[in-house]
Structure formats: structure tokens, C-alpha cells
Amino acid sequence: MATTATAEKPIWFFEEGNGDMRELLGGKGAGLAEMTRAGLPVPPGFTITTQTCLQYYELGRRNPPGLDDGIGAAMTELERRTGKGFGDPANPLLVSVRSGARASMPGMMDTILNLGLNDQTAEGLAKLSGSDRFAWDAYRRFVMMFSSVVLGIEKDLFEEQITARKKKLGVSTDPEIDAENWRELVADFKQTVRDHAKREFPQDVHEQLKLAINSVFDSWFSKRATDYRRYNKIPDNWGTAVNVCSMVFGNLGDDSGTGVAFTRDPNTGAKQLYGEYLRNAQGEDVVAGIRTPEKIADLERAQPEVYHQFLDIAGKLERHYRDMQDLEFTIERGKLYMLQTRNAKRTAEAAVRIALDMVAEKLITKNEALSRVSASSLDQLFHARIDPKEKYEIACTGLNASPGAAAGQVALDADIAEKWGSEGKAVVLVRVETNPNDVHGMFASRGVLTAKGGATSHAAVVARGMGKPCVAGCEGLQIDMRNRTATLGGKPIAEGDWITIDGTTGDVIASGLKLIDPPSTLPEWLATFLSWADEARTMEVWANADTPQDAVKARELGAMGIGLCRTEHMFMQQERLPIVQEMILSDTHEARAEALAKLLPFQREDFHGILEAMQGLPVTIRLLDPPLHEFLPSQETLLVETTELRLREGEESPSYREKMRILKRVQQMHEQNPMLGLRVCRLGILYPEIYAMQVRAIFEAACDLKKHGVDVRPEVMIPGVGTKEEMKFTGDAARKVAEEVIAERGVKVEYHVGTMIELPRACTVADELADHAQFFSFGTNDLTQTTYGYSRDDAEATFIPRYLELKILADDPFQVLDRQGVGSLMQDAVRRGREKHKELKIGICGEHGGDPSSVAFCHGLGLNYVSCSPYRVPIARLAAAQAALGSLK
Ligand code: PEP
Ligand code: MG
């Protein structure tokens, strides 16, 4: 066949391509090409390009002109190479048809094996192989696969017939079914096709091939493929390639077999071949779990020569690709064939350990090692997981929508979840799908399991936002709300029964398993790896921490400062809340001053703990932010209470009058839009004594510590500044108190007063703010809220999931920084701020500080640090390194 190698060429024989051609040939095609080129034993075949798939769509799901002829010619060439005939009963050529996108998309389309079988070629195959049983087993498999994948008939319809047949024959496994029974089943299957697809099962092998290829193209826009792409951020316009490969058979006797293997252990990263092998079996048997496969090491005993040849090839491929490989192979009557090689998927722990090992083996450089580990995958290491010692059966599997494992009692609605949660029970909320009315139940649960919905469903998005494990779209879960019953993988499960969900893998287990909490310190291998990241990165990583314990954790995980200490959390604590309420409700200046004086020692103690834990490093303390009414009882509760008191004790009673006073004050303070009302620095300007108390507490703690030789570096941060006047007013006031305390205590403490940049206006007047602020910290939570005009708490629970589905938003802007809108405001603020002060220290402390893509963006902006929650510090350290090395944009 003529082989003019141009990108327009729709069909490439394996030896024509190479490993760099993933874009055109897909991952599988490029791997097969590279192996063929390297002289490894690969059965002959060809790849139809991703480009052709895109043309197919452009033409309204029609093959581009000339493609059918091209496929015909390629099949003729394949016949020549194999010495077999496609559709020839005397010596039939059979092929496999498999999809293969640029990025691996497991489960996008099932493989079709044994294509080319029909009533005649099946007879031919029986003669040729000397086994009727082999031939009819192969044919029934083909009819099943083709009918379910291409003709869209439920696979269960065929499985049911096999089960019934086994029952009739009194046998329990497929291998016990003989040739005659398979032959009869094939006839029954063909009837099923007639009944359900309203057509005959195609006997023309060319028609089979065309339908199969088109079905692979079609699968690119199947729901599961589209969902998978959306979740993994794979563009729609990549298309999938189709690989047509001549069949080799692993089920031709005991010297045949099939298997999958990883060149290292994908769970632990250990350097040893890891995989499974099934003697006398075809590829899908391994995946289908019909028989328990043997360990790959068992092959060494059975067929040592083949095993060593495989070991040798595995080593070569790993060295060639300089990465762990995931291999598929088949042995046909003692001869080894390689069917696939690709970079293997692995757990985060394995990824880090393999990267470390490969540097030690001089296979890759340190910088390459850093780019080999996805920063966000490190998240896995900081969630609870199922104890690996647990032995369990997976009841069913859904989408791994939010990482971590949770075990708890099944609650079938949000109210019961909330009730049980408040009783201290461990609960898993189990729903068909969730909606905003379920959010209270999600809060009360350890994890969420839904029968429907994808990775961007309400359950998934909200659970991720809450940091709770979630398995979504679990088809093996059926719920009957009328009778309040459910089944998991076909078995009944009652409300209150224990289950375990693993949001990292998507597995659901019908019992409560032992979980392992995330490590409290960095394991040594991770510490080493992250120390490499620290060498490479230029931007610092700080943490958001409100308590000394969080500060200690942050430091252990490598934080180089506290970028945000939210002081309102300190106001919420139980023994303090009544004093805070007293302070808010006081009618006179004196009464307020008295309440604040009572709060001062508590705050001083808080700051003392954090400053001490972070000695030698900066601690950014943000003055009080939220609206005051958040600390008060709700109007509804007060209305009920006053009514009750009036009825019970009368209008003149002191307790009724006091309650009424509180109610009036709460009503006075009521705001229509509290998020845009009396909060941030506006609160500190209306009630300057609150900020004065906080600043005093900071500096009393700092001076005391300094006196004891502790290196303290407090940074006072004013929230929500939008004008230079606000900045000047609050900044001057803070400095005044700080200086007073320093003078009183007679110790010098270095400090800075800066501002959060969390309003669009602040970005546009950042140069003026820089006159009064010594540092900036982007509060991108509020900056996103105010730029989009979305209320964060409401948006994530209501319309954002739908927006993601409709692609109105590519990402949730509260998780991944919106570069175009919010980002350009930030860029403006950085430019203006640094125009005033070249060395102005600028960081970010919104949630985005722990998101890899946002970290990369901040690196590009030239920020000095990102600050994120303690457990995300390792992620941000790696992301900052990857951004500096250019491997994360
Ligand atoms: C922010 O707005 O980004 C921020 C960190 O402040 P908060 O989330 O407390 O409003
Ligand atoms: Mg904010």
C-alpha cells in the first residue's frame, strides 16, 4: 500500500506512525505505532485518525469521501500481511476495533473483539482452530459485544439467557457450556437482535466493520464520554481515533492467555511488575472478572520464556517512555503479542514515589519529576481513606465526584440526615440526586451518594465545596422513596444500615469499613519531594489559619506564614458569644467598651497562641469582617420567645422587656443584603472600638512574646476596603493603637498594616490604597462575588451546577480563578500597587490560593505568596514549582 505520510492521511498502518503522534493517532494508536517501530511483537493493524472523526462530525455523522474505500484497501493490505481473508470461511481474518483518544478516557467505549465472524466464518474458525467450542464461544462474544455497543441492545438481555442456559444445564460457569449450547445461544441472540434492533445481525463483515467504526466515532459524544471530558477538562474538539487490529487469541489452549500489567505497582509505586494474567482466555475476561486471574508472576512458572520476554519488553518500554507503563498483552499458542502500552494511571503516593525513584535511577531529572505529579492529586493524601487491611466486596461503583472515604448510616433524606447527625451519628446521605433543599442534610453527613448526576451535578459540586466525599451517578443504586427502601448492586439496603463510600475511586461498599485518617505530618518521601518543589518555586506558600493548632499544622506542611487569620471565628466560640452579643446590643458607648474589655483577654490569648506557633514567620490577622447580626439570635426565634414570655409573664415583666429590647435591636440591624451591608471595614469605621480592641489584643500578645525572646511578625489586615479614605481611616486608627501598646509595653515590634483587595473598586484605585497600605492580599472569594455579582453561598447551591452543565461557565469561579474577569482586575491592582511601591508585598488568601491553576495564574502575576488552607499547602507548593518551571500554566 502506498504510504505518503501526510497529516491529511486518514489511515495509518501502525509502523507508519510513532509515539509522538498522539494528537492524530490517539494515545493507543501512537503507542501501538511506537511499539511496532521498535520491533516489538504487535499484531498488524491500522489507525483511523482523530481528524477523520472530526470530519465525520462536520459532515453530520457521515464518513468523509474516500474513507470507505480507504478502509477497504487497508483491510486488503491486512489480509496480505496476515495471510488470511476478511470474511473468508476457509481462513478468516478477525479484527478488534477500539477507540483511542489523545488523552486516555477509560470506559468511553467498549472494545469490540472478533469482528469478522458470521455464520460461515465461525464454521471456518472451528475447523481451523480444531475447536468448535472456541469458535462458537468467540462468535457469541462477538454478537453480544457488537449488539450492545453498536446496536445499543442491553447487554443484560444476553447475560440473562446465558444464566438461564447454565441453570438448565446445571452448571455454574461459562467454560462449562459446550459448543452445541453456544451455537444454540448464538441463534437465540440473533433473535434478540431481531426483536430489539428490528434488523438482522449483520452477516456482511464489511458492514460490521463500517458500523463498528462509526459507532466508535459516535461514542465520542456519548453522555458518559462528554461527562468524563467535562470533568477532566478534555476539549470536545479532539475527537477519537479508531484502531483496527488483527486478532490474536489468548483462548486457544493452556499455552495461550491474556493479561494486563503495570511496570511498577500503581498503588504503592514499588518497582516490581504488577498485573494479572488469565490462562486460556480473551482480553475482556480479565476485565469482566469472570474468573479470578493469576498473578503475573505465575506466568513465570507456566511459561518462563514468554515471561522473560515480556519482562524484557516491559523494561524496554519503561526506559523508552521514561515513565511507568500500563501494558496489555496476549499469548497465542506460546507466542507473545503486545496490544497496548501507555503511561499508567497511579495513586498520588505511587506518583510521588515513582518520580523519586526514577530520579535516583537517573531516568528523569528532578524538574521532570516535579512535572510528573499532578498537584491536585496530592489532595488524595489528605483525606480519610479505607484501611488497606480491610477486605471487602464492592457493591457498585459510581463517579468519583469528591475525594475521600466516608462510612456512616444510610439516611434517605436530608431531614433525617440532619436529625441523626445532630445526635452524633455518622451519616451518609443517599439520594437519587440532590438539590438546594438537601444542603442542610449534606452538612450533617460524612459523605453523599447519589444514583444520578455527573461530576458537575449539584451533589458533586456542593460536596467538593464542603470538602466531603461524594460518589455521584451510581447506577447500581436504586431508591424507592415511597417505601423508603433501596438496593445497592441489586441487594437490599435499609435506612440506618452502614455503608462506606470512596469518593476517590467511586466505590460503594455495603458495610461500614475502618477508615484511616490523613497523616498529621508529612511522610518522609513527600517531604523530600516537596523540598525539591521548594527549590524550584519562586513564590511563597502561606496558610489560612484561625487557631494555634491550625497554625502548627500549616507550619508542619510547609507554610511560610499565615496569610489570613479570620478573627470572627474567635468571636463565635461558646463562652464568648454572650459577651459579643452584649457588645453588639449595648446602647451606650460605655456599655460597649465594657463588653469589649471582657473580650480583650480572649483575643489576646488567641493571638498569643498563633504568633508563638508561627515565630519567625509573618502572621496576617484580619480585623473583624462579617455583619454583626451573624452573632445575634434570629428575628424568628426572638419573636417566638417574646410572644411566649408575654403570655406567660406579662408585658411588664423584666425578662419580657429585656427580650423586646434585643428584638428591637435585631430588627434595627436587619439588612436586606448583609453581604453588601455593614461588614468588612465599614463595620470597623462605624464601631472603631471593635478594631481598636482587636489591635490592642494583637500587640499586647506580640509585645509579651517579644519580651520573652519570641520573634513575632504581626501584620494587621483591613478587610473590604474600597476607597483610599476607608484605608486611611482604618489604617491610621490601627497604627495609633499599635504604637500606644508598643509604647506602654516598652518593646519594639515590627509590624505592617495592609489591606485585602476584594472589591473591584479596590483594584481600580490600588495605587491610592498603596499610599496607606503596606501590603495587599487578594480576597478572591469576595472579589469573585462582587465581580460576577453572584452570592457565593447561594450560587454554588443553585445555579452554578446547571451553568457548568450548560457550559455557560467552564469552571466554578469560586474554585478556579476567573482569569478573564477577576484576573484582569487583579492584574490592574498589581500594576497600580507596584507603580507606587516597587517592592509592595502582594499575596492572595481567597480559596483560589490552593487551586493549582489559580496558583499558576498568581505566579504569572508576580505575587509574593499564595495562602490556602493548611492541607492544601503541599498542593500549592507543588503547583508553585510547576508554574515556575513552566509545566503548569
Ligand atoms: C475573600 O473574600 O477572599 C476572603 C479571604 O475573605 P472571606 O472569605 O472571609 O470573605
Ligand atoms: Mg472576603
Side-chain angles (χ1 to χ4, degrees):
M1 196 176 139
T3 57
T4 37
T6 66
E8 291 80 47
K9 208 164 86 86
I11 297 172
W12 294 65
F13 268 83
F14 293 158
E15 73 281 1
E16 295 178 304
N18 64 53
D20 296 331
M21 295 176 66
R22 302 176 67 90
E23 250 175 64
L24 193 65
L25 302 179
K28 196 187 301 275
L32 286 163
E34 191 74 7
M35 287 198 292
T36 306
R37 232 164 221 259
L40 300 184
V42 177
F46 56 86
T47 303
I48 305 172
T49 62
T50 54
Q51 207 60 38
T52 312
C53 171
L54 297 178
Q55 284 168 358
Y56 171 81
Y57 280 107
E58 272 164 30
L59 296 168
R61 300 197 186 224
R62 271 217 188 94
N63 280 350
L67 182 65
D68 292 340
D69 289 347
I71 293 170
M75 288 307 291
T76 308
E77 173 64 13
L78 212 52
E79 289 178 322
R80 194 191 62 73
R81 292 184 187 199
T82 56
K84 299 176 179 181
F86 193 45
D88 176 4
N91 187 11
L93 166 64
L94 305 186
V95 293
S96 64
V97 179
R98 309 173 86 177
S99 65
R102 202 191 294 185
S104 131
M105 293 174 56
M108 182 173 80
M109 201 202 83
D110 303 308
T111 298
I112 299 176
L113 302 177
N114 305 335
L115 190 140
L117 280 174
N118 57 21
D119 296 351
Q120 280 78 43
T121 54
E123 298 287 3
L125 188 66
K127 272 201 207 100
L128 215 70
S129 63
S131 167
D132 273 3
R133 194 191 171 282
F134 162 71
W136 286 95
D137 181 27
Y139 192 18
R140 69 89 191 177
R141 286 170 193 255
F142 172 54
V143 177
M144 279 173 80
M145 279 192 232
F146 189 92
S147 303
S148 71
V149 176
V150 180
L151 304 178
I153 301 173
E154 289 269 349
K155 209 169 173 184
D156 284 352
L157 289 174
F158 302 108
E159 295 287 3
E160 281 161 14
Q161 296 178 54
I162 298 178
T163 311
R165 177 71 55 149
K166 282 195 279 202
K167 209 163 164 196
K168 190 172 137 204
L169 297 173
V171 300
S172 55
T173 63
D174 289 2
E176 293 169 275
I177 301 178
D178 64 14
E180 206 38 50
N181 276 289
W182 282 133
R183 188 194 288 267
E184 285 174 25
L185 275 168
V186 167
D188 294 348
F189 286 0
K190 287 199 287 193
Q191 186 57 45
T192 305
V193 171
R194 249 171 249 129
D195 293 344
H196 290 265
K198 308 281 174 256
R199 60 160 296 164
E200 288 295 319
F201 185 82
Q203 292 291 312
D204 176 347
V205 293
H206 290 281
E207 188 192 357
Q208 290 174 357
L209 183 60
K210 182 169 188 299
L211 287 172
I213 289 170
N214 289 354
S215 150
V216 176
F217 287 159
D218 289 336
S219 73
W220 179 251
F221 276 106
S222 68
K223 174 146 174 40
R224 61 181 154 151
T226 313
D227 282 349
Y228 184 91
R229 280 201 298 277
R230 191 174 312 135
Y231 187 51
N232 291 284
K233 312 232 175 334
I234 298 172
D236 283 345
N237 66 0
W238 281 5
T240 178
V242 187
N243 298 290
V244 178
C245 186
S246 47
M247 284 293 302
V248 286
F249 294 98
N251 50 349
L252 280 174
D254 272 353
D255 58 350
S256 302
T258 186
V260 292
F262 295 84
T263 53
R264 304 190 187 215
D265 186 326
N267 293 313
T268 64
K271 195 179 177 195
Q272 65 200 34
L273 200 61
Y274 174 99
E276 293 180 324
Y277 173 73
L278 261 186
R279 208 178 316 163
N280 195 12
Q282 233 180 10
E284 96 249 7
D285 295 340
V286 179
V287 188
I290 298 163
R291 278 161 46 198
T292 311
E294 297 161 36
K295 293 237 166 55
I296 188 90
D298 295 337
L299 179 64
E300 186 174 11
R301 246 167 287 133
Q303 289 173 282
E305 269 168 48
V306 179
Y307 176 78
H308 287 290
Q309 186 193 358
F310 180 69
L311 210 60
D312 181 49
I313 289 176
K316 273 195 187 130
L317 283 168
E318 193 181 90
R319 281 191 299 281
H320 180 75
Y321 284 103
R322 299 162 63 244
D323 201 352
M324 166 165 83
Q325 296 297 295
D326 165 357
L327 308 167
E328 279 179 29
F329 64 96
T330 285
I331 301 165
E332 183 180 285
R333 292 187 167 144
K335 183 165 169 26
L336 173 69
Y337 290 96
M338 298 302 298
L339 302 182
Q340 173 162 295
T341 187
R342 60 179 170 191
N343 291 346
K345 297 225 180 296
R346 61 205 84 176
T347 62
E349 175 172 348
V352 173
R353 287 179 179 271
I354 289 168
L356 289 166
D357 286 349
M358 286 190 167
V359 171
E361 292 161 29
K362 301 210 170 1
L363 215 52
I364 57 175
T365 64
K366 274 189 185 180
N367 287 351
E368 274 174 310
L370 288 170
S371 70
R372 290 284 173 90
V373 178
S374 131
S376 53
S377 77
L378 296 184
D379 195 34
Q380 280 176 25
L381 303 171
F382 299 101
H383 285 101
R385 60 197 167 100
I386 297 171
D387 185 339
K389 290 199 205 84
E390 287 273 19
K391 297 258 172 297
Y392 56 88
E393 215 174 279
I394 294 164
C396 45
T397 302
L399 232 107
N400 50 342
S402 176
Q409 292 175 269
V410 171
L412 290 177
D413 71 44
D415 293 340
I416 198 93
E418 189 178 46
K419 180 169 176 294
W420 289 354
S422 69
E423 290 166 8
K425 289 185 181 162
V427 182
V428 175
L429 179 65
V430 178
R431 304 281 289 153
V432 174
E433 51 194 338
T434 63
N435 63 46
N437 297 330
D438 292 318
V439 172
H440 62 293
M442 297 177 77
F443 268 119
S445 304
R446 303 263 169 110
V448 182
L449 169 65
T450 65
K452 289 202 181 143
T456 54
S457 62
H458 177 269
V461 173
V462 176
R464 278 200 295 277
M466 292 180 183
K468 300 200 181 214
C470 174
V471 173
C474 180
E475 285 170 8
L477 164 69
Q478 244 103 42
I479 301 179
D480 172 0
M481 267 324 265
R482 207 160 339 136
N483 298 306
R484 287 193 92 87
T485 54
T487 56
L488 264 186
K491 296 205 183 111
I493 184 134
E495 193 161 31
D497 284 356
W498 277 79
I499 60 166
T500 304
I501 60 169
D502 186 340
T504 311
T505 58
D507 294 339
V508 182
I509 299 102
S511 61
L513 299 179
K514 186 165 180 281
L515 305 182
I516 295 192
D517 287 334
S520 55
T521 49
L522 283 183
E524 201 187 302
W525 47 270
L526 186 55
T528 306
F529 186 71
L530 290 173
S531 73
W532 295 355
D534 292 342
E535 285 164 26
R537 62 171 174 71
T538 51
M539 193 169 59
E540 291 188 0
V541 177
W542 297 14
N544 297 351
D546 306 336
T547 62
Q549 295 86 314
D550 274 359
V552 169
K553 171 110 299 165
R555 213 175 169 147
E556 270 167 14
L557 296 173
M560 297 176 71
I562 298 296
L564 174 64
C565 171
R566 289 180 166 104
T567 53
E568 53 272 17
H569 294 173
M570 303 167 175
F571 275 48
M572 288 287 186
Q573 289 177 18
Q574 235 175 13
E575 78 237 88
R576 307 178 187 186
L577 197 58
I579 315 175
V580 176
Q581 291 176 343
E582 193 184 313
M583 182 265 288
I584 300 168
L585 296 169
S586 39
D587 300 319
T588 63
H589 185 72
E590 289 73 31
R592 178 164 302 115
E594 211 173 292
L596 282 166
K598 282 193 227 161
L599 281 174
L600 180 81
F602 289 119
Q603 288 261 281
R604 189 172 51 217
E605 194 186 318
D606 295 332
F607 299 138
H608 192 282
I610 295 175
L611 287 166
E612 191 174 33
M614 295 305 290
Q615 57 178 301
L617 298 174
V619 175
T620 315
I621 297 165
R622 178 181 72 186
L623 302 184
L624 194 66
D625 176 342
L628 286 181
H629 81 260
E630 279 197 11
F631 302 101
L632 297 176
S634 75
Q635 278 197 67
E636 291 74 21
T637 314
L638 286 167
L639 273 170
V640 173
E641 286 175 359
T642 46
T643 313
E644 278 174 2
L645 274 172
R646 184 162 49 89
L647 292 175
R648 214 175 40 234
E649 299 180 15
E651 290 192 357
E652 295 309 318
S653 77
S655 42
Y656 170 73
R657 286 169 160 231
E658 176 56 14
K659 259 300 175 254
M660 276 308 285
R661 186 182 74 87
I662 299 177
L663 175 60
K664 282 215 183 87
R665 188 83 176 114
V666 169
Q667 282 169 336
Q668 263 172 12
M669 296 185 69
H670 174 76
E671 292 180 297
Q672 295 298 341
N673 286 310
M675 281 319 246
L676 299 175
L678 186 59
R679 62 173 285 220
V680 291
C681 68
R682 303 186 282 271
L683 186 68
I685 291 172
L686 257 65
Y687 301 98
E689 52 278 26
I690 301 180
Y691 279 11
M693 180 279 287
Q694 292 196 292
V695 176
R696 172 161 282 278
I698 294 170
F699 284 90
E700 286 186 357
C703 291
D704 287 353
L705 285 163
K706 189 76 190 280
K707 256 191 207 158
H708 288 90
V710 179
D711 176 8
V712 285
R713 310 203 180 165
E715 314 250 303
V716 179
M717 183 154 76
I718 313 288
V721 165
T723 71
K724 73 166 187 296
E725 289 77 10
E726 284 174 332
M727 186 64 231
K728 180 163 169 17
F729 186 97
T730 50
D732 287 352
R735 278 189 204 91
K736 184 164 166 282
V737 178
E739 294 302 329
E740 264 168 33
V741 178
I742 288 170
E744 276 166 30
R745 304 271 157 151
V747 265
K748 182 118 192 67
V749 169
E750 293 280 340
Y751 68 95
H752 299 107
V753 178
T755 182
M756 294 193 71
I757 301 282
E758 50 184 346
L759 296 172
R761 191 175 198 283
C763 297
T764 58
V765 299
D767 42 351
E768 294 189 348
L769 300 183
D771 284 336
H772 306 279
Q774 290 167 290
F775 64 88
F776 287 174
S777 175
F778 285 107
T780 44
N781 302 334
D782 272 306
L783 191 56
T784 304
Q785 289 209 103
T786 46
T787 301
Y788 275 95
Y790 295 171
S791 150
R792 177 179 183 202
D793 295 341
D794 302 318
E796 289 201 317
T798 54
F799 60 85
I800 286 190
R802 185 77 181 124
Y803 267 34
L804 293 171
E805 247 166 59
L806 293 171
K807 297 198 185 139
I808 290 174
L809 288 173
D811 293 297
D812 178 346
F814 292 104
Q815 287 180 13
V816 179
L817 195 109
D818 157 48
R819 297 182 180 203
Q820 195 186 6
V822 177
S824 71
L825 284 166
M826 289 169 75
Q827 197 172 19
D828 202 24
V830 171
R831 181 181 55 76
R832 287 173 186 276
R834 295 239 171 97
E835 256 169 31
K836 269 281 160 67
H837 297 293
K838 225 167 94 229
E839 303 298 326
L840 185 70
K841 189 164 68 178
I842 309 181
I844 175 175
C845 64
E847 300 298 314
H848 306 91
D851 164 64
S853 141
S854 315
V855 170
F857 182 73
C858 292
H859 170 86
L861 283 184
L863 300 200
N864 300 85
Y865 67 88
V866 292
S867 185
C868 54
S869 65
Y871 279 117
R872 295 196 77 84
V873 165
I875 298 173
R877 285 165 73 188
L878 179 55
Q882 291 176 340
L885 294 169
S887 62
L888 180 68
K889 299 259 189 275

